[in-house]
């Protein structure tokens, strides 16, 4: 994280659908804005069921249709150290946010905890194709807003 000026961790429940999608989309949009070298983007889950797994094949397919490659990502669980290392930890829904507030260490946490989008990004896991499209629609829109916000924080706009 030393070489970067800002670090962002995106969080959902399983780290196989919403947050890996957000990691890839936000990274691509930062890259397009010329900010990739200044911002670290990572993702994790509050749950531990899928640790080490690649993103859900449905998320991979819907993302690939819009030009985002999720295939190299692997799920991990959020750790206490994340609250000390990251500047921003962004949750996909209110349950994720409440879990993060509970998991934050008493000592040394410095991350700002917020929702990723101005609305909750609903869990698509039990849903059909429309649920996965809704995730990527919300994630793309929120990522555009974050790129502007981060550019302001970096003093580049
Ligand atoms: P995500 O979706 O939180 O967007 O990764 C889920 C993936 C798996 C489960 C729940 C949500 N699950 O219960 O296994």
């Amino acid at each position: 994280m030393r070489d970067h000026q800002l670090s962002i961790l995106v969080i959902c429940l399983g780290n196989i659908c919403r947050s890996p999608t957000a990691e890839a989309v936000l990274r691509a949009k930062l890259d397009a804005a010329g900010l990739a070298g200044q911002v670290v983007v990572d993702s994790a889950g509050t749950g531990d069921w899928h640790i080490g797994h690649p993103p859900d094949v449905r998320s991979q397919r819907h993302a690939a249709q819009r030009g985002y490659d999720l295939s190299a990502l692997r799920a991990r669980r959020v750790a206490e150290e994340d609250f000390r290392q990251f500047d921003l930890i962004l949750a996909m829904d209110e349950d994720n946010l409440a879990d993060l507030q509970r998991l934050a260490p008493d000592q040394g946490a410095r991350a700002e905890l917020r929702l990723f989008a101005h609305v909750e990004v609903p869990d698509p896991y039990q849903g059909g194709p429309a649920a996965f499209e809704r995730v990527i629609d919300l994630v793309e829109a929120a990522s555009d807003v974050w790129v502007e916000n981060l550019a302001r924080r970096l003093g580049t706009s």
Side-chain angles (χ1 to χ4, degrees), residues 8-81:
I8 300 181
L9 182 65
V10 194
I11 299 288
C12 62
L13 180 58
N15 194 209
I16 56 167
C17 298
R18 292 165 293 174
S19 60
T21 300
E23 177 183 345
V25 170
L26 186 55
R27 190 175 285 141
K29 288 183 178 290
L30 285 165
D31 195 22
L35 299 175
Q38 294 172 72
V39 187
V40 167
V41 184
D42 194 6
S43 69
T46 57
D48 59 5
W49 310 283
H50 300 287
I51 291 171
H53 295 182
D56 188 287
V57 290
R58 297 165 296 174
S59 291
Q60 291 202 47
R61 194 181 320 124
H62 284 266
Q65 283 165 3
R66 298 201 197 181
Y68 307 106
D69 181 5
L70 308 189
S71 63
L73 303 179
R74 295 292 178 270
R76 71 173 181 90
R77 187 169 194 243
V78 66
E80 283 202 357
E81 200 50 30

